[in-house]
Amino acid sequence: MSEGKLIVITGPSGVGKGTLVRSLLQKYPDLYFSISATTRSPREGEIHGKDYFFLSIEEFKQKIEGGEFLEWAQYASNYYGTPRQNIETQINQGKTVILEIEVIGANLIKESFPSALRIFILPPSLEELEKRLKERNTDTEAVIIKRLNRAKEELMFRDQFDVKIVNDDLEIAFELLEKAIFK
Ligand code: 5GP
């Protein structure tokens, strides 16, 4: 059996990467989506083991020390990390694995997993990103400001990625994503 591949999808919060990934998983059920761990509190409707593994800071730090993450990063005062074990198992079984993570962790993947395809989703503009974060209605004003400031830093890394896709029109962005993954 041939080895699977690792696809890393990143971009600022609110850019629509979650929507793109959901469409991808719906259309291609054979893809394996990696569920991350986080110390952030669950949002309404989020389920432990489905959306994230919600951990305490102590539990998360233990896993860092145990080398259990392929990558991890701090984001808007919380920790987020990709559990290593499932990913390696799935890839060895020939599966294509999808990670949806923030930019610093996505950039680090090239060290632990050089063959990964790393895709950066860009907003049409910062103004549009702010509008989407506000419309999404999942975060407080203070958190939105943190996320926007972080977005400005994240956008500076865009040229270090293999593929860049502007999410202006969702359908076009999805087609470009499909092409990048299945070309
Ligand atoms: P949210 O709190 O909105 O669910 O996620 C905040 C950010 O953390 C998003 O950009 C999301 O893609 C990213 N993220 C989710 N899981 C991981 C992970 O395992 N590692 C890293 N580095 N970022 C993650």
Side-chain angles (χ1 to χ4, degrees):
M1 189 192 299
S2 66
E3 272 225 328
K5 53 183 176 175
L6 183 62
I7 310 286
V8 183
I9 299 177
T10 193
S13 179
V15 79
K17 56 190 191 296
T19 308
L20 287 165
V21 167
R22 271 193 298 279
S23 306
L24 207 55
L25 297 174
Q26 230 166 35
K27 185 160 175 189
Y28 303 99
D30 270 358
L31 295 174
Y32 177 86
F33 178 70
S34 157
I35 299 165
S36 296
T38 183
T39 59
R40 150 164 100 55
S41 311
R43 294 185 184 128
E44 214 183 303
E46 283 185 331
I47 296 169
H48 179 81
K50 177 170 175 278
D51 299 288
Y52 279 108
F53 297 104
F54 294 99
L55 304 181
S56 67
I57 294 180
E58 292 68 37
E59 287 169 326
F60 198 99
K61 286 189 172 161
Q62 268 173 15
K63 287 186 189 290
I64 296 176
E65 277 164 28
E68 292 186 40
F69 292 125
L70 191 61
E71 62 71 42
W72 62 272
Q74 261 186 305
Y75 180 92
S77 312
N78 289 301
Y79 289 93
Y80 294 82
T82 304
R84 180 190 293 279
Q85 201 192 350
N86 273 345
I87 293 183
E88 289 173 354
T89 311
Q90 295 293 330
I91 288 187
N92 289 338
Q93 288 173 2
K95 285 262 189 183
T96 295
V97 174
I98 306 284
L99 303 188
E100 187 225 308
I101 62 178
E102 55 67 65
V103 175
I104 304 295
N107 209 20
L108 283 176
I109 290 277
K110 69 175 176 235
E111 283 156 29
S112 52
F113 219 104
S115 64
L117 176 70
R118 295 170 316 114
I119 303 174
F120 198 115
I121 312 290
L122 293 157
S125 65
L126 276 173
E127 290 71 30
E128 177 62 23
L129 189 66
E130 181 170 0
K131 188 169 151 256
R132 288 184 195 173
L133 278 172
K134 286 185 173 156
E135 281 171 3
R136 185 163 90 167
N137 219 7
T138 49
D139 299 298
T140 61
E141 184 70 25
V143 170
I144 290 177
I145 290 169
K146 266 192 194 172
R147 286 179 181 235
L148 276 172
N149 285 334
R150 174 77 172 227
K152 289 177 198 155
E153 292 168 21
E154 291 181 322
L155 288 169
M156 293 195 280
F157 287 89
R158 67 177 92 181
D159 290 330
Q160 300 193 22
F161 285 77
D162 303 311
V163 179
K164 283 174 277 182
I165 295 174
V166 177
N167 185 15
D168 190 358
D169 178 292
L170 192 63
E171 260 177 51
I172 296 175
F174 184 69
E175 276 173 26
L176 293 171
L177 186 60
E178 280 181 302
K179 269 194 199 138
I181 297 175
F182 299 108
K183 67 178 175 234

